[in-house]
Amino acid sequence: MKSIAVLTSGGDAPGMNACVRAVTRTALVKGLKVFGIERGYSGLVYKEYRELQRQSVSNIIQRGGTILKSSRCDEWKTPQGRAKGAKFLKELGVDGLIGIGGDGTFRGLYFFSQEHDIPVIGIPGTIDNDIYGTDFTIGYDTALNIGVDAIDKIRDTADSHERLFVVEVMGRNSGFIALNVGIGGGAEEIIIPEKEETLEEVAERLFQGRKKGKSSSIIVVAEGDEEGKSFTIANKMKRISGMDYRIVVLGHIQRGGSPTAADRNLGSLLGAEAVFGLLNGKSNVMIGLVNNQIKFSSLEESWKKRKKVDMNLLKINQFLS
Ligand code: ADP
């Protein structure tokens, strides 16, 4: 192996830069050339890239987002688009590709590796943490900390005005962020897509809390498929309970800012180990951290299987709140 390429794709996540840095520097130390592909799979289709040197990744470990940029690329979903990418990588002389992203990115890598003879490794980078095969994804810890910090601030005003606050956090189809932000922020209620419950039940518990002397309440809601879901929930709550409410949608604030130490370390570790993986002949795998150990698992499983949230935490929260 003489040369590798690295790209970031799909939703950006804090810690991706630490990962690009680790991939680059590890590969350079091992005597490989490194190409940074820009704007995810678009860069492969439209030949946007730069060669990365040690200094190209200086001073980025602390920066959110991704210096390589990211994009959604529909052409990559077609065999023709992927063939353009393979031709381009062959022209560059690249013999290994690392893709940092979420399950969409891994589908793209998987189909590419079925059709073309270039080894690929996926690194999980998404704030949602909803990837099977790793305990944590790059960006998740930062998103949790931003969420908890926001709740701390909201709690001050919720207390002062004795109000109900509905705080909507990100999380496509999954409640990892909501559940852990809710626990960490001491939320009274947490509503996640994995648990079906009626709003009457939630309202009843809030009523009981008020009877016991609670004057303010915070409900954390996972946006699920639809951003702004909290408006529907809050309206219904008002109809059921008559409680006045305010809504805060955290939205993209959760993706931004400097990555936490945990995300920088995870990005650095997975980036370096992914390069070793390619050098050791691994392909068509995702690298993850399971029980604090590096683990390679099938790329296909990363989206075909579903990682489960810990429902016990939800029960525990009812004791805590
Ligand atoms: P994420 O990687 O964060 O889940 P997306 O779902 O937007 O983000 O996927 C990122 C990119 O991966 C897409 O823009 C597309 O180029 C590629 N991709 C997603 N799904 C597929 C698929 N089924 N086949 C090939 N490429 C895909």
Side-chain angles (χ1 to χ4, degrees), residues 9-12 16 40-42 70-78 82 100-109 111-112 125-126 128 131 172 255 303:
S9 155
D12 61 294
M16 279 182 163
Y41 293 124
S42 291
S70 185
S71 72
R72 317 262 182 206
C73 173
D74 285 335
E75 243 180 303
W76 196 257
K77 293 185 178 168
T78 66
R82 296 192 290 269
I100 309 167
D103 64 327
T105 301
F106 297 160
R107 281 171 216 246
L109 274 184
F111 293 120
F112 176 79
T126 161
D128 291 332
I131 304 283
R172 282 173 313 187
R255 275 191 201 288
W303 79 86

Side-chain angles (χ1 to χ4, degrees), residues 290-303:
V290 177
N291 295 329
N292 229 7
Q293 300 288 320
I294 289 293
K295 191 168 167 239
F296 290 93
S297 55
S298 125
L299 259 185
E300 213 177 352
E301 280 188 356
S302 70
W303 79 86

